[in-house]
Amino acid sequence: MDTKPDMWRDRPEREDRTTSFQTLDAVRPATGIPMWVKAAVVVVLMFGFLLALKSILGW
């Protein structure tokens, strides 16, 4: 007695699967500006605003 459904009769047992992870030798896509540069710019801007606030208030 065959227990396999008819829909699987003409298909291969197992299809090739693709991996969802990247290997170490894969080329990384080019990214934008690094995060440490963005953080440095924010710190410099905050320092500039602090100096401007001090000069406005006369401290």
Side-chain angles (χ1 to χ4, degrees):
M1 180 175 179
D2 189 16
T3 58
K4 293 181 182 179
D6 291 337
M7 60 183 285
W8 295 107
R9 180 175 294 166
D10 296 327
R11 295 188 182 187
E13 282 191 27
R14 184 172 181 177
E15 296 179 3
D16 292 336
R17 295 183 180 180
T18 57
T19 57
S20 61
F21 62 91
Q22 291 182 347
T23 58
L24 293 177
D25 58 349
V27 177
R28 295 178 63 186
T31 57
I33 301 171
M35 185 56 84
W36 67 269
V37 174
K38 293 178 185 177
V41 168
V42 168
V43 168
V44 168
L45 286 175
M46 288 176 66
F47 186 70
F49 284 133
L50 177 65
L51 290 179
L53 188 63
K54 280 182 64 173
S55 68
I56 289 172
L57 295 178
W59 284 350

